Amino acid sequence: LTLRFVAGSVEDPAWFHWAVQKLEESNPESAVDLYVTGLSTADPNHRFHYHAWIQEHAGEAHRETILDAARSSDAERRRAGLRAVYILIDHDWMRTREVYQLIADRLREDPDQRCRTFASLCLEKNGRKPPAVVRPALHDALNDPYASVRVNSLRVLSRFARAEDEAAFAGCLKDPVAEVRWAAAAALARLGRPSSVRVLAERANTSTADGRREVLKVLGDIRHPSATRLLLSLTNDIEDDIAAQAIRLLADRPGAEVDAALLGALRVRNPRIRTAATRVVGDRGMTPAVPRLIENLSSYDNWSELEALDAALHKLTQATGIPAPSGDEASRRATIQAWRAWAKSHETE
């Protein structure tokens, strides 16, 4: 009892680990019970001790105690057990059919919202293809009354989306919670479905910069004019990394509007955007870009941009005898002068 009191009250991690170690020596079951129970019942200021102890010391021998807690009739103890599963789900010894069946049962049937949330988080954190035993539970969870459960379940299903999931994802596009709609749109995007673009555009227009970055992660999977139009709008984003990524995603998109946007991007002042556009016009074989690329040699901002300019010009002109730039200033000047001389000799062509 004294050891349990010490572990539950001290703020020094060293004393906590000492108390739990002594408990393991004298009564291993009591030590396991302590760290599982402490995940939910400990003072929040001390709870991180239990989390850290489980991460560092829990092993396969503790699995049954953890699963027993997750099956408890007491909601607080079930939360603690599921929290422990969440902490340990990256270990192979925790990825058993028994564990996945437990997660599926908690996700589908647990009356406690936090338990269902922890169950969905276990699957989201796992990162592996969800086994067949949990897929029906994940689909059922798309109708859970709590948005956090719906969102987590969509994220798990979307990582390994199947064509038969499309109807369930599409139904979630009408969810009253924006985060659920976004997760559903992302899932449909990974299937390449243009029906998701409307919600992706909504997120791109109303969210933070991080939200727009998330849109770009899935928008490239949709081969449809509506997705291309959204990418074109994002090339003007205030954040240069977002604009540059949108430009890169346009690389294999056809259309005069795309060509015009790329040529325009070669004229912006931001070097990150110019460099992205330079690489793309070279890859697309856009010879009308050559005069502007030659002009940009006079105002390049950094080594990466100069390297991109040289590579694009070589692809577009097939010129020979022009030295590639290296790290020293003399080499860079020689490359620029050689391209200017080439351009002058081809002015009448």
Side-chain angles (χ1 to χ4, degrees):
L1 288 174
T2 301
L3 289 170
R4 290 175 67 89
F5 173 77
V6 170
S9 59
V10 297
E11 295 187 11
D12 185 342
W15 276 105
F16 173 82
H17 291 310
W18 175 85
V20 174
Q21 183 180 20
K22 293 300 182 183
L23 270 173
E24 280 201 302
E25 293 172 358
S26 61
N27 188 341
E29 291 186 4
S30 181
V32 176
D33 183 74
L34 169 70
Y35 73 68
V36 173
T37 304
L39 282 171
S40 289
T41 60
D43 184 297
N45 294 326
H46 302 142
R47 191 175 296 163
F48 73 93
H49 294 325
Y50 296 86
H51 189 116
W53 193 89
I54 289 175
Q55 279 187 317
E56 295 175 20
H57 302 289
E60 188 170 359
H62 302 135
R63 183 175 58 209
E64 287 308 312
T65 299
I66 292 170
L67 297 186
D68 286 345
R71 298 187 187 102
S72 171
S73 59
D74 178 71
E76 198 71 35
R77 187 159 175 78
R78 288 201 307 278
R79 293 173 197 164
L82 287 166
R83 192 191 293 265
V85 173
Y86 171 80
I87 295 169
L88 298 169
I89 195 66
D90 292 332
H91 296 278
D92 287 338
W93 54 264
M94 187 57 88
R95 296 187 183 120
T96 67
R97 181 176 179 82
E98 180 186 14
V99 172
Y100 282 122
Q101 184 64 64
L102 168 70
I103 293 172
D105 292 343
R106 294 300 97 204
L107 181 59
R108 176 183 279 154
E109 302 170 0
D110 202 295
D112 183 76
Q113 176 261 330
R114 290 174 63 187
C115 287
R116 299 197 304 277
T117 299
F118 278 129
S120 63
L121 284 172
C122 288
L123 295 171
E124 185 184 8
K125 182 188 177 188
N126 181 24
R128 294 190 177 184
K129 185 176 181 179
V133 69
V134 302
R135 286 189 68 87
L138 285 166
H139 274 275
D140 289 347
L142 299 184
N143 297 310
D144 194 277
Y146 287 89
S148 61
V149 178
R150 301 198 298 277
V151 169
N152 294 336
S153 299
L154 279 165
R155 287 172 177 167
V156 177
L157 287 167
S158 70
R159 285 203 299 264
F160 307 97
R162 303 174 181 175
E164 56 263 35
D165 296 326
E166 182 176 355
F169 295 160
C172 293
L173 290 177
K174 301 176 182 179
D175 196 280
V177 178
E179 197 66 23
V180 178
R181 294 197 301 273
W182 151 241
L188 284 166
R190 290 190 172 94
L191 290 172
R193 302 299 189 263
S195 57
S196 63
V197 173
R198 178 184 60 80
V199 176
L200 293 176
E202 173 189 306
R203 184 171 178 87
N205 292 329
T206 61
S207 69
T208 63
D210 284 342
R212 298 195 298 280
R213 292 184 183 100
E214 291 296 318
V215 168
L216 285 175
K217 287 180 181 179
V218 298
L219 193 55
D221 293 329
I222 307 172
R223 314 300 302 177
H224 190 268
S226 60
T228 301
R229 289 192 292 272
L230 182 52
L231 283 172
L232 285 168
S233 71
L234 289 169
T235 63
N236 298 312
D237 198 275
I238 191 172
E239 300 291 341
D240 62 356
D241 66 303
I242 294 175
Q245 179 62 10
I247 287 170
R248 285 189 284 269
L249 290 173
L250 287 170
D252 58 351
R253 307 266 173 160
E257 192 176 2
V258 174
D259 289 344
L262 294 171
L263 290 173
L266 294 175
R267 298 178 178 275
V268 302
R269 297 181 64 180
N270 187 289
R272 189 173 192 174
I273 297 173
R274 281 200 314 267
T275 301
T278 297
R279 296 187 190 282
V280 171
V281 298
D283 292 341
R284 285 170 70 91
M286 291 175 57
T287 53
V290 169
R292 185 65 206 185
L293 295 175
I294 295 291
E295 187 176 338
N296 284 358
L297 287 168
S298 301
S299 58
Y300 77 91
D301 182 79
N302 53 54
W303 160 250
S304 180
E305 184 176 8
L306 177 59
E307 188 180 37
L309 286 164
D310 178 70
L313 285 167
H314 271 103
K315 289 178 181 179
L316 297 175
T317 66
Q318 303 298 311
T320 59
I322 296 178
S326 61
D328 63 276
E329 188 61 31
S331 168
R332 298 181 188 190
R333 283 198 299 268
T335 298
I336 293 171
Q337 289 170 1
W339 277 117
R340 286 173 178 165
W342 178 92
K344 188 171 182 63
S345 68
H346 289 74
E347 282 180 351
T348 56
E349 294 184 8

